[in-house]
């Protein structure tokens, strides 16, 4: 059989959000690659045009060895910073080999960015917690560049952050940027507090700025969103109707109420807590037994890390127990899909559902809930149960807020969602759609770039 090279779309908010952004500005995206296919597709300068369906930006590859992936990505990034920033201190592991690889790889990203910038200078926009140190190297190499960073996950309270043995280096790395963005002003506030307490840096709350070692960094909130038009368009298409019909048939959902959860399998997403609330819903409200099916789309992620392996086992065991306790030949309380689905298929699930459940224990923003809202039609929209601890809760005010730590309350919220009268669902959905339409991923990008442009124009990058 002929070997073919295909494109895998990651089940992750950041990559999906940035694709349209890079296309809109025809920039260069620097990302690590591994595997033969990545190597075979680049040119002599490790570059390729993307995305494959409509090439409109350049992708520059950085090659990481297995050892670097283990220590930089699965190590410091995902066993250090991820659990630290999401307050899962039981999962935090700090190792010197993790840190050494993190520093090294950050340096390589910075050098590639400095290299790609060209003679005219310009903006280097760093994304996320994997690159906290890159700005410091980039600044040394390209003092002419404007450096900005967007941090896609929460920034924890100082009491949490201070347990990190590399806290000073992380803060100083991020302060090499001119502009630093978080989803929420509370995360920005936590960062400012850490700068003042750890570095004794001067924080100017009115300017939302930190002054440290003769340099000013503006720190502000830019809540991310989705490509709203694209989701609305797919949701309204005839092909989506056909997909919905196929899903109903495949999972035997014709006469059922349907719930949906879509998550990377991550302990921060509150999947275990959700399953416990579902069990309680069926116990306390037997009218839903046989009549309500919860579809959990949960694609495994970071499976090399033990905490993620335990989580997957725990989720599997809970679903199996619930299904064998209550399920029959014709009905299962929970249907699981552990694959990465094409966006169009996800949209069909969103449209079918009577209720979406997002029960994050901690979440920077959460794009799934925004996708669900964008896909609803106002004839018969679904209800939304949204964790109070997802960043999106500060934006979408007409959901049913849930507390994933309180199983009984959560179960009652699920019941309320399933029994919510049409007029109430419509009013809430209309308001949420309105909020969302004014705030797409393009607005996010524009706001961030405008802030960068304004700072550059002011030339405000030196101490007062
Ligand atoms: P994530 O933690 O990855 O993102 P989230 O914002 O929920 O979380 O985005 C997940 C994305 O992956 C959504 O676009 C969803 O449609 C997609 N997805 C999930 N499961 C899928 C599957 N099985 N098949 C296909 N697609 C799937 C991080 C932060 C978030 C923040 C984003 C963006 O943790 O808090 O909202 O970055 O900043």
């Amino acid at each position: 059989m002929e070997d073919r090279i295909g494109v895998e779309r990651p089940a992750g908010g950041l990559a999906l959000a940035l694709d349209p952004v890079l296309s809109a500005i025809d920039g260069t995206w620097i990302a690590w690659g591994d595997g033969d296919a990545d190597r075979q597709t680049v040119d002599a300068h490790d570059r390729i045009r993307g995305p494959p369906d409509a090439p409109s930006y350049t992708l520059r590859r950085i090659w990481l060895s297995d050892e670097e992936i283990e220590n930089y990505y699965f190590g410091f990034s995902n066993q250090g910073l991820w659990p630290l920033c999401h307050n899962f201190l039981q999962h935090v592991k700090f190792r010197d080999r993790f840190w050494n690889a993190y520093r090294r790889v950050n340096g390589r990203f910075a050098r590639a960015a400095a290299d790609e910038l060209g003679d005219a200078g310009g903006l280097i926009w760093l994304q996320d917690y994997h690159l906290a140190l890159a700005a410091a190297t980039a600044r040394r190499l390209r003092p002419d560049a404007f450096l900005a960073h967007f941090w896609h996950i929460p920034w924890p309270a100082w009491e949490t952050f201070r347990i990190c043995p590399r806290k000073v280096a992380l803060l100083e790395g991020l302060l090499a940027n001119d502009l630093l963005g978080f989803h929420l002003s509370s995360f920005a506030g936590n960062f400012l507090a850490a700068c003042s307490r750890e570095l004794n840096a001067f924080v100017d709350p009115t300017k939302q700025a930190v002054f440290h070692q003769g340099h000013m960094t503006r720190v502000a909130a830019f809540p991310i969103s989705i490509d709203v038009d694209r989701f609305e368009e797919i949701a309204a298409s005839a092909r989506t109707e056909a997909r919905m019909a196929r899903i109903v048939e495949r999972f035997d959902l014709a006469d059922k109420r349907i719930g949906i959860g879509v998550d990377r399998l991550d302990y921060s997403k509150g999947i275990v807590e959700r399953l416990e609330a579902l069990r309680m819903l069926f116990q306390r409200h037997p009218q839903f037994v046989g009549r309500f099916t919860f579809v959990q789309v949960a694609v495994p992620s970071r499976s090399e890390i033990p905490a993620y392996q335990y989580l997957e086992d725990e989720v599997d065991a809970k679903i199996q127990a619930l299904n064998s306790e209550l399920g029959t030949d014709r009905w299962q309380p929970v249907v699981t899909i552990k694959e990465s689905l094409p966006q169009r298929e996800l949209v069909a699930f969103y449209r079918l559902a009577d209720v979406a459940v997002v029960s994050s224990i901690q979440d920077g923003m959460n794009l799934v809930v925004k996708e669900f809202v964008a896909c609803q039609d106002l004839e018969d929209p679904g209800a939304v149960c949204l964790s109070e601890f997802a960043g999106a809760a500060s934006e979408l005010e007409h959901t049913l807020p849930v507390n994933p730590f309180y199983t009984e309350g959560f179960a009652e919220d699920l019941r309320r969602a399933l029994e919510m009268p049409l007029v109430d669902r419509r009013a809430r959905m209309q308001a949420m759609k309105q909020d969302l339409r004014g705030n797409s991923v393009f607005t996010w990008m524009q706001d961030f770039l405008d802030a960068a442009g304004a700072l550059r124009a002011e030339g405000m990058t030196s101490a007062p």
Side-chain angles (χ1 to χ4, degrees):
M1 206 175 79
E2 190 190 346
D3 284 339
R4 281 169 181 272
I5 294 176
V7 174
E8 258 179 55
R9 288 204 171 256
L14 172 57
L16 290 171
L18 286 184
D19 219 41
V21 170
L22 260 291
S23 294
I25 58 176
D26 193 1
T28 298
W29 183 335
I30 303 172
W32 58 275
D34 60 350
D36 294 341
D38 282 345
R39 283 184 191 274
Q40 283 167 24
T41 46
V42 293
D43 66 14
H45 304 285
D46 293 330
R47 297 189 187 119
I48 178 177
R49 293 287 288 168
D53 39 349
S56 45
Y57 60 82
T58 302
L59 180 62
R60 158 90 183 260
R61 289 293 190 194
I62 301 268
W63 305 110
L64 299 189
S65 66
D66 290 349
E67 182 269 325
E68 283 171 332
I69 294 170
E70 184 190 328
N71 292 305
Y72 156 73
Y73 181 74
F74 292 116
F76 194 76
S77 300
N78 284 315
Q79 294 184 77
L81 287 175
W82 177 272
L84 180 75
C85 290
H86 288 87
N87 253 307
F88 279 84
L89 302 191
Q90 70 276 34
H91 295 319
V92 168
K93 284 200 178 92
F94 295 120
R95 302 278 185 272
D96 287 345
R97 65 186 164 89
F98 292 175
W99 175 248
N100 292 336
Y102 188 83
R103 277 178 45 208
R104 220 170 37 242
V105 173
N106 268 253
R108 287 176 53 197
F109 270 96
R111 282 192 291 280
D115 186 34
E116 290 291 336
L117 203 54
D119 295 339
L123 166 72
I124 296 177
W125 190 4
L126 301 157
Q127 301 292 331
D128 227 357
Y129 59 99
H130 316 79
L131 293 171
L133 307 178
T137 307
R139 178 156 303 287
R140 261 198 313 279
L141 295 172
R142 293 299 301 256
D144 57 328
F146 186 90
L147 292 167
H149 194 129
F150 191 81
W151 192 264
H152 288 258
I153 63 176
W155 190 277
W158 179 71
E159 285 74 9
T160 299
F161 180 68
R162 66 189 295 223
I163 73 161
C164 178
R166 309 296 178 175
K167 56 196 164 189
V168 170
L170 288 169
L171 292 173
E172 290 191 333
L174 287 167
L175 289 179
N177 287 288
D178 300 300
L179 175 64
L180 174 60
F182 294 93
H183 288 308
L184 305 183
S185 51
S186 59
F187 301 155
N190 287 345
F191 178 82
L192 294 175
C195 292
S196 127
R197 300 190 80 155
E198 285 302 333
L199 306 178
N200 212 13
F202 174 67
V203 172
D204 182 339
T206 47
K207 279 189 177 154
Q208 295 182 292
V210 188
F211 295 87
H212 184 58
Q213 295 179 346
H215 180 76
M216 186 194 91
T217 306
R218 168 78 44 86
V219 181
F222 301 89
I224 205 169
S225 190
I226 57 165
D227 185 347
V228 181
D229 291 346
R230 179 174 159 82
F231 276 94
E232 287 188 341
E233 197 184 298
I234 301 175
S237 76
R239 287 171 69 185
T240 296
E241 298 276 348
R243 278 199 182 85
M244 289 161 68
R246 280 201 296 277
I247 292 170
V248 166
E249 199 181 313
R250 176 170 165 211
F251 296 106
D252 204 2
L253 298 172
D255 50 352
K256 310 286 189 307
R257 311 295 305 285
I258 301 169
I260 182 89
V262 177
D263 312 83
R264 278 186 308 101
L265 245 174
D266 192 291
Y267 46 76
S268 67
K269 302 292 181 186
I271 303 170
V272 168
E273 290 74 5
R274 186 180 312 169
L275 293 168
E276 281 165 3
L278 279 167
R279 181 161 188 266
M280 188 164 285
L281 172 81
F282 288 120
Q283 280 172 343
R284 292 194 168 177
H285 304 288
Q287 69 270 28
F288 294 116
V289 172
R291 298 196 185 91
F292 172 54
T293 300
F294 192 79
V295 180
Q296 177 64 56
V297 184
V299 65
S301 87
R302 306 174 191 166
S303 308
E304 285 76 355
I305 299 174
Y308 286 77
Q309 294 157 9
Y310 299 141
L311 175 74
E312 189 173 352
D313 291 348
E314 192 182 3
V315 166
D316 286 348
K318 280 217 182 295
I319 292 175
Q320 210 171 21
L322 188 57
N323 284 348
S324 51
E325 184 187 346
L326 296 175
T328 62
D329 287 349
R330 287 221 50 237
W331 173 76
Q332 297 282 285
V334 181
V335 168
T336 342
I337 299 170
K338 288 170 88 173
E339 303 150 32
S340 187
L341 299 178
Q343 213 168 48
R344 292 173 178 279
E345 192 76 7
L346 271 186
V347 168
F349 278 104
Y350 289 145
R351 273 213 45 203
L352 273 172
D354 298 289
V355 54
V357 183
V358 171
S359 51
S360 317
I361 302 294
Q362 278 279 302
D363 217 333
M365 177 54 65
N366 194 282
L367 297 177
V368 169
V369 66
K370 295 190 172 187
E371 293 167 2
F372 181 80
V373 168
C375 292
Q376 299 309 294
D377 72 66
L378 289 172
E379 273 298 296
D380 187 14
V384 180
C385 285
L386 175 62
S387 167
E388 295 170 46
F389 313 115
S394 331
E395 296 225 297
L396 297 173
E397 288 177 1
H398 296 83
T399 62
L400 281 176
V402 302
N403 180 344
F405 296 96
Y406 173 37
T407 310
E408 289 162 283
F410 191 171
E412 282 313 300
D413 294 328
L414 290 172
R415 180 192 59 74
R416 278 180 64 204
L418 284 164
E419 292 176 350
M420 191 183 284
L422 178 60
V423 56
D424 194 2
R425 276 184 283 130
R426 268 195 193 140
R428 285 170 186 258
M429 191 51 72
Q430 193 152 24
M432 288 192 281
K433 275 180 169 292
Q434 208 152 1
D435 289 345
L436 194 59
R437 282 201 186 113
N439 288 297
S440 75
V441 68
F442 300 106
T443 334
W444 170 77
M445 174 187 71
Q446 200 55 55
D447 288 350
F448 193 92
L449 295 177
D450 285 351
L455 267 179
R456 274 173 102 173
E458 288 167 31
M460 287 170 53
T461 53
S462 54

